[in-house]
Amino acid sequence: MMNNSGPRYKRSQLEKHLNTVVLWCVLLLIIMCLTTAIGHGLWLKNIKDSVFKVDKETSPALAAFYVFWTMIIVLQVLIPISLYVSIEVVKLGQIYFIHNDLALYNKQLDSRIQCRALNITEDLGQIQYLFSDKTGTLTENKMVFRRCSIFGVEYPHEENARRLEVYEAERSEAAARSVTLRSGCSGRSVSCRHSSVSLHTLAAESEEEEQLSNRTQPRTRAFCSRVAKEVLPDPELVRKLNWFRSPVLPLRDGSSGTPSNLELTYITDFFLALAICNSVVVSSPSQPRHVVPEARTPLKSLDEIKLIFQRLSFSPFSALSILSPLQTKGSPHSFTSRMFSGGKTGSFTLSPPTNCTTDGSETGLESNLEISYLRCEHDSSSRVKGRDTGQMDGRGTEDDIKDIKTNPEGTRQDVEQDVEDLIREEDCKSDTDDELLYEAESPDEAALVYAAQAYCCTLRGRSAESLLVDLPGIGSLAVPLLHILSFDSNRKKMSVVVRHPLTGQVVVYTKGADSVIMDLTETPKVAEEAQEICSHIREQTQHHLDSYAREGLRTLCIAKKVLGEEEYKVWLKGQLLAESSIENREELLAESAHRLETNLTLLGSTGIVDRLQKEVPETIEALQRAGIKVWILTGDKQETAINIANACKLLCPEDQLLTINCGSKDACAALLKELQLKVQHGEDRLTEVPAAGNHGKSSSGSVAGFILVIDGRTLDWALQDELKKDFLQLSCRCKAVICCRSTPLQKSQVVRLIRDQLGVMTLAVGDGANDVSMIQVADVGIGISGQEGMQAVMSSDFAISRFKHLRKLLLVHGHWCYSRLANMILYFIYKNVMFVNLLFWYQFFCGFSGSVMTNAWVLILFNLLFTSVPPLVCAVLDRHTAAHTLMELPELYNTAKASVPYMFWITVLDAFYQSLVCFFVPYFAFAGSSVSELSFGSPINASALFIILLHQVIESPTLTWIHALVLLLSAASYFGFVLLFSLFCVTCSPPTNPVGVETLHMSQPLFYIVCALTTVTALIPRLLFRALFNTLHPSAVLKSAQTDNVDSEKYRHKMQRWNLSKTINRLPVCADNPGLEPSTDS
């Protein structure tokens, strides 16, 4: 909530311009009314012997005051009040077409675009800056566990990588074939043995689930993509974990390829943290959600397991003796490093054969151990192992070790037989197991839980007080849950506090961003060997994190901390005080979390792949060609963000990276100044060198430039008042900006800075709750309905399902909406000014008395009915440029920007000219005659109607039968009304009598001659101006239209030649081409 800046009422730029235009119209109305009032006062003052009745009792000043308000009423049509209503009607029509555009429909999700704001559709055509989140916006947000690092050792999971490659390949092939798969998400149990399916089957089933994910229950299937669930374990990591099951016990030092006790402790803690450090809700079809099912009987009772620790002379605590006493005393490391062995004494010093991992003859043994590990459920595996090894004593174990050394072949055969029996037992049992359903707040959590499950560390239940976890070789254990410190954008980490079920100690497991966790890890200040180990783990883990980031993976660090009872009681007291506090509660909770999440022991890191959405590179390239600057605001690592920028073509090979990572505010200020000079010199160098060939351009045709990359800590300083101006100047000169490790509040501050300081149109697009503030601050907010809930959608103005939809939404619908509404506003202003001026010119010939030359009903209905529908139809249906042309030529996006302010006065001057022609041509035509005022106004009204309607035809780029029908109905409605009015209405407009006026005039040729001459004279200047301007300075839209015509002509000739060459047993292809004549050959 702290990052949410609250909703903001949004007004479109066109609406702001319209308000300014209305003010100018009000000023123009006041000037015309004042002119009439002053003229009437002077006329009354100077008139002597009048031939008609004049009220001489009223003073000229008072009469002028009356006339002023009379003219306000007569000329009030000049104020386009009806335009506001017409705009809302047009926007409804435009939104209808946007909402039903099939190109913006996602068939997989059965989702179409949602237009949640009706008042800013035209702003889609004015965007200058686009701010985008990365995860879920540019990427799929379908997280798949890719690789990990534990104890400083990297496990690349190459088989898992090949599985993803096969999935991507088959996904592309399926998309190319447009095959619709019919099977939905599998309802089978989530167990380790599913990883035995083939890669092709896995990829196919993943595609099926993605195709039909909309048909499943969204809550019970949250983030349940098959490709995310099926993680293929790393063979080396499996080999080390299999030592828990093997009767052969590893040495402490990890020699001969055997993992040490400390390494096994780290590995077990790592996967236990993945399983429990989350907010994942577990349920199954037979159990209600949030309920921990009854734990199954483990391999050994808790008393027996504790007895094992007491009797082991080489207890795993000895392996941790180099660490601090707090960590060694009853550390929960202990239960994971030895509890899974079959022996009961600790006198073993032998190790497995040194060639067990390198000799080809021993590979089968290791492989079978891995298979048995992957294909088995935990408790069944434990029971089998218990039957085989639970009764052995130390001597028996030594004999088994000797057998392994002397007869490895026989041992391998025995293991293979055990594996086969184990698989058969598990196959029979798995059919009765309930399916585990995981509901996660984010795809990251789900991916990590599935990764832990792949190594048989399974989260089976959750309640408010405890967790039920299956551990390899031990079965189900209830883990008391003491506290959950949820993730927030400031801490950038999450922690759980649990009490270990075996040792009873309080343990804190933490996962979070590497930039935070790495700073909180401790280096023991006891033994030199311990310091070397911890330093080595930190260095290697950091190296692996950098490697993951360069590959574009999302990185997380996993750490733990053991608390003493006294230390926990002190912290708990402060935590309860912070939770119960009313004032400064958030600050107290943050301080309490900080006290707990310090001096952590680094366990390892994870790398999760989040593939790029389809057509993202093409979309970003098109938006940049349209003149839109694209910024990426993400919370990911800098290397990850740069990798994604490369993948989506935001960063070209020729672009220069400007990186700002500073440790202080002064260093940030100095670096900003230095980079400004560098950018200025680079621009000068590009200006001096003549643009020859493709110089300065990338292979895609985009101009090379500077890309600014800034991290979250530096961004805090750059957004302060002292450095805000320098940062703004530098970022404006850059082609794009990438803000890494930025918080939601920083995202909104960046958007607000650009919007307010530069006065440009901004658009923000995101998919999660952390993007809500940015979406609300931007002029146009777009939410993507992805994997992280509906917060962004509910706060947005428009909701889409894929980033690629932005391309057509902005370049096509945005262009159309703005140009249509802009032209409609100008047209309304034109016809109102034109018609009102006819009444104004008449005042010069009626003593400025406020009289009109037409009846009141025509005056009311002229703008309300006779000329109101054509602009509405044109504003909804007009297409200045075809959709495919706008998509292929994004540069046309800029042609429609900001046309209203510049065209307003030109439109007003044109309306003044046409009103002069429309009034004085009939005036001179009837000069000297005895026609009445209604007879004089009849040809003026008819001419004005023709001029206004034909003006619409000239300005409209699209003419269809709908346009023609509406124009004909408008003209017919006028003439039908005035004819009926003159035939039957005797006393409708006293004191004038309209009976027979229209019928008499329409029976005379002079009426039609006057109307034709007036119409042609009024419209010729506009036609000539259009022709000359388009000839001398053709616009990009006109050039694209000519290109379309040329292409159509070429296509027509090509089809003609094809028809002539395919005359035998073939029908001519001309149905889709009206201009193509059918072949006459038989």
Side-chain angles (χ1 to χ4, degrees), residues 665-679:
K665 183 177 179 180
D666 294 336
C668 178
L671 187 56
L672 286 174
K673 294 289 186 181
E674 178 183 349
L675 292 180
Q676 285 188 54
L677 294 176
K678 182 178 180 180
V679 172

Side-chain angles (χ1 to χ4, degrees), residues 18-32:
L18 177 59
N19 294 337
T20 304
V21 166
V22 170
L23 292 178
W24 282 114
C25 290
V26 171
L27 179 61
L28 186 61
L29 173 65
I30 293 175
I31 293 174
M32 296 172 70

Side-chain angles (χ1 to χ4, degrees), residues 166-183:
V166 172
Y167 168 75
E168 291 292 344
E170 295 194 359
R171 186 168 177 261
S172 301
E173 293 177 3
R177 294 193 304 267
S178 299
V179 176
T180 303
L181 303 178
R182 298 182 180 275
S183 60

Side-chain angles (χ1 to χ4, degrees), residues 448-599:
L448 295 179
V449 172
Y450 284 123
Q453 187 185 56
Y455 290 94
C456 294
C457 188
T458 305
L459 178 64
R460 287 199 167 271
R462 174 186 291 273
S463 69
E465 296 82 15
S466 62
L467 302 167
L468 186 64
V469 182
D470 276 0
L471 294 177
I474 215 176
S476 297
L477 289 177
V479 181
L481 180 62
L482 302 181
H483 294 282
I484 296 180
L485 302 182
S486 302
F487 176 88
D488 65 61
S489 58
N490 294 324
R491 290 168 44 241
K492 297 183 180 179
K493 55 185 175 294
M494 173 189 180
S495 297
V496 293
V497 185
V498 298
R499 184 174 295 278
H500 203 280
L502 302 180
T503 64
Q505 285 191 318
V506 178
V507 185
V508 181
Y509 289 103
T510 303
K511 69 176 181 181
D514 57 287
S515 60
V516 177
I517 299 296
M518 296 296 284
D519 294 336
L520 298 177
T521 55
E522 66 167 349
T523 301
K525 299 180 179 179
V526 284
E528 182 179 353
E529 184 180 357
Q531 295 181 3
E532 292 179 357
I533 292 176
C534 290
S535 299
H536 175 76
I537 293 174
R538 284 173 55 88
E539 292 175 2
Q540 292 300 316
T541 303
Q542 185 62 56
H543 174 72
H544 299 152
L545 286 169
D546 296 339
S547 175
Y548 296 167
R550 285 191 294 270
E551 295 180 16
L553 303 181
R554 291 172 58 85
T555 57
L556 284 176
C557 281
I558 312 298
K560 66 168 290 186
K561 179 182 181 180
V562 179
L563 293 177
E565 289 297 330
E566 292 299 326
E567 184 181 1
Y568 172 67
K569 289 180 181 179
V570 172
W571 175 83
L572 180 60
K573 182 179 180 180
Q575 177 69 12
L576 295 177
L577 180 62
E579 291 177 352
S580 60
S581 177
I582 298 177
E583 297 181 356
N584 301 324
R585 184 173 183 271
E586 297 296 333
E587 291 78 3
L588 293 176
L589 287 174
E591 292 177 2
S592 177
H594 179 71
R595 288 194 300 269
L596 181 69
E597 297 167 332
T598 55
N599 299 326

Side-chain angles (χ1 to χ4, degrees), residues 46 65-66 77-78 107 119 157 220 303 322 376 402 449 464 481 523 528 607 619 816 875 978 981 1022 1048 1061 1074:
N46 296 327
F65 178 77
Y66 290 156
V77 182
L78 182 61
K107 185 178 181 181
N119 59 331
H157 291 72
T220 59
D303 293 337
I322 57 176
C376 66
K402 294 177 180 179
V449 172
L481 180 62
T523 301
E528 182 179 353
T619 302
W816 284 348
V978 296
F981 194 84
R1022 175 165 287 269
S1048 301
S1061 62

